[in-house]
Amino acid sequence: MKPPVFYFGGKRKIAPELWKRFGKPNVYIEPFVGMAATLLARPVDAFPKTYRETVNDRDALVANFFRSAKLAPELVLEHAVDPPMEIELRARWTHINKHRGGLRHRLLDLEFCDPQTAGWFLYCYANFIRPAAASAEPKALKPSTRASGVLSPNARDGAWGYFAALKERLANVRICCGDYMGILTDAEVKVSGRQSVCALIDPPYRKNAKMYADGADAFDYDALIKRCIELGEMENVRVALCGYSDDYDMPDDWRIEEWAETQGGVETIWFSPGCKNPKVSHFWENYSAPPDDVEEYANASPTLDTLAGLFSIIRRDEEAV
């Protein structure tokens, strides 16, 4: 299932590889969920008989969007499907950003959601030019020439069906809005010996952190890395940590895969020792699938050459031997 809208830093293109490494976890955790591209890309054969999924985002607009899509999807769409107008983008973004803090407080009530704000959030992100996640001020407030995601011209006719499917997909997903450590506790990853836990850790990248609402200074990367290493040492836990190639210095037994080159650096994922190691011949499976949304991929940075990436993996495997 596709994410509802293009979102800065999403992992939609690499999601199939992530699920090959994760397998069929009984517990899936995503502390920085964004538009949930990886969660929504979970293959139908990657669900064991018993499982739970927990996602979190400190941004109240993101948490409210998914809670509203889960509880009142029809109202979300009703407030999102309006013509792209610059004055509407400015007014709606100013309003929802101004009330972000109050919304976070109201979300402490598990029965609360604000579908109007969720619809306006979707409207803005679908029509912005290159929106930045959790940014107080996008790079441009005039409408894009082509809406993205579920509001794009190609997808809009099926938007009602999409939201119905999204509601069903989120039915049993726990949606949290707090500090990421709250869902990485020992209690959250405690399972029986025959079960597994997978955690996708996709925090604000160090070089891009200044565009987030709290800024780089508000994020403790040392605490995050320490916890990732602790989780990676647990026998039943598989961790995938995302960042640029020079962001982290992880233990030697973590596998490193570089998958895309951007203006900020080389997109990289560090896989803990417990992650599955698929055959090299299947590593890039589905990676070159044609894009569904022209603007989304036109705005995205170019990826590394497939063969170069494949040969780099082979070299690392040979060195490991």
Side-chain angles (χ1 to χ4, degrees):
M1 187 177 187
K2 304 172 188 175
V5 72
F6 173 78
Y7 199 72
F8 186 83
K11 295 298 178 288
R12 176 182 169 185
K13 289 186 286 185
I14 198 65
E17 169 59 21
L18 288 167
W19 283 110
K20 290 178 188 176
R21 297 301 184 109
F22 287 159
K24 299 172 63 174
N26 298 90
V27 175
Y28 175 73
I29 299 173
E30 194 169 344
F32 311 92
V33 71
M35 282 293 103
T38 303
L39 172 79
L40 298 177
R42 185 170 187 168
V44 294
D45 60 353
F47 291 89
K49 290 183 178 180
T50 60
Y51 67 92
R52 72 173 186 265
E53 298 172 316
T54 302
V55 300
N56 174 77
D57 204 293
R58 190 174 180 182
D59 185 357
L61 297 180
V62 171
N64 177 67
F65 173 80
F66 281 109
R67 186 179 288 182
S68 299
K70 180 176 179 177
L71 301 177
E74 299 86 357
L75 293 177
V76 175
L77 191 56
E78 181 180 329
H79 291 289
V81 289
D82 290 312
M85 300 170 59
E86 183 173 358
I87 191 63
E88 283 297 317
L89 282 174
R90 290 181 178 274
R92 295 184 185 194
W93 186 250
T94 298
H95 176 84
I96 63 179
N97 198 52
K98 179 180 179 180
H99 294 86
R100 188 194 302 258
L103 179 63
R104 178 182 175 83
H105 178 74
R106 286 180 289 168
L107 286 170
L108 294 176
D109 178 356
L110 294 176
E111 299 299 321
F112 172 83
C113 70
D114 185 344
Q116 181 185 66
T117 295
W120 287 0
F121 174 79
L122 177 60
Y123 172 85
C124 290
Y125 266 81
N127 289 291
F128 276 152
I129 298 175
R130 297 302 299 272
S135 173
E137 189 68 22
K139 294 181 179 180
L141 281 169
K142 64 181 180 181
S144 170
T145 57
R146 188 177 188 274
S148 67
V150 71
L151 298 185
S152 67
N154 292 341
R156 189 176 301 161
D157 290 344
W160 288 109
Y162 175 88
F163 268 88
L166 182 61
K167 178 180 180 179
E168 181 178 357
R169 176 64 183 87
L170 297 174
N172 297 313
V173 177
R174 298 165 66 208
I175 301 170
C176 301
C177 180
D179 186 88
Y180 71 90
M181 283 294 191
I183 64 170
L184 292 179
T185 62
D186 289 344
E188 291 286 344
V189 300
K190 185 177 181 180
V191 293
S192 66
R194 306 182 73 177
Q195 296 183 329
S196 64
V197 177
C198 289
L200 172 61
I201 314 295
D202 188 14
Y205 289 6
R206 290 178 186 266
K207 293 180 181 178
N208 297 334
K210 62 183 179 180
M211 72 176 59
Y212 289 80
D214 295 331
D217 296 336
F219 195 90
D220 188 348
Y221 288 95
D222 291 338
L224 173 67
I225 297 308
K226 179 181 178 182
R227 186 54 178 160
C228 285
I229 294 174
E230 291 174 350
L231 293 173
E233 292 174 348
M234 298 181 183
E235 184 178 356
N236 293 8
V237 180
R238 300 165 184 165
V239 179
L241 172 65
C242 305
Y244 288 135
S245 58
D246 56 352
D247 277 353
Y248 308 115
D249 184 16
M250 302 303 288
D252 292 339
D253 55 354
W254 285 58
R255 294 179 60 85
I256 303 173
E257 302 297 351
E258 299 174 347
W259 66 276
E261 187 173 10
T262 70
Q263 294 180 349
V266 178
E267 292 265 8
T268 302
I269 300 179
W270 289 261
F271 292 100
S272 67
C275 290
K276 291 177 173 291
N277 184 11
K279 295 180 180 179
V280 173
S281 60
H282 296 305
F283 184 87
W284 296 106
E285 183 179 327
N286 298 327
Y287 185 73
S288 300
D292 302 288
D293 191 304
V294 175
E295 184 173 60
E296 172 182 343
Y297 284 83
N299 289 333
S301 301
T303 59
L304 290 174
D305 177 76
T306 301
L307 287 178
L310 181 59
F311 289 141
S312 70
I313 299 164
I314 295 174
R315 286 195 296 272
R316 279 194 292 274
D317 286 347
E318 290 175 345
E319 292 170 0
V321 174

